[in-house]
Amino acid sequence: RSGGKKAMLMGPLGGGVADPFVSVDFGSESEKTKVVKSTLHPTFDSKMEFVGSNPATEIIFRLWDWDRLTANDIIGEYKVRLSDILGR
């Protein structure tokens, strides 16, 4: 859960705004937030639940810019192992 944290984005080349969303991959499971339209300061107030106990499982957070007519653009990525979160 984001806890209402705001993301600070830099605009696309030449300025402008983004339509950001976040995808979360946990092992073979995947979830994503809703798209927040026309902003560089999105708030992702989402709750996602995944089941897993393998401490080596990698959680991948990807920040995307949604595009209607072309492929979504990746803005950034963060990877963390379950063991790092659980302190194992």
Side-chain angles (χ1 to χ4, degrees):
R1 181 173 179 164
S2 70
K5 301 287 184 192
K6 289 194 175 199
M8 300 293 286
L9 307 178
M10 297 183 73
L13 293 177
V17 294
D19 299 315
F21 70 95
V22 175
S23 66
V24 181
D25 297 331
F26 182 86
S28 62
E29 297 180 66
S30 185
E31 296 279 340
K32 64 182 179 179
T33 67
K34 292 182 179 181
V35 174
V36 181
K37 297 282 191 162
S38 302
T39 184
L40 295 179
H41 307 282
T43 297
F44 301 106
D45 191 17
S46 298
K47 182 178 180 179
M48 300 174 187
E49 294 185 31
F50 299 96
V51 177
S53 60
N54 182 347
T57 300
E58 190 171 63
I59 306 167
I60 305 170
F61 299 88
R62 289 186 181 97
L63 181 62
W64 298 89
D65 179 19
W66 177 84
D67 289 313
R68 179 182 304 274
L69 301 176
T70 60
N72 298 325
D73 301 312
I74 191 155
I75 297 172
E77 181 178 279
Y78 179 74
K79 297 179 182 180
V80 62
R81 293 204 181 277
L82 183 58
S83 61
D84 294 334
I85 294 172
L86 299 177
R88 293 185 194 169

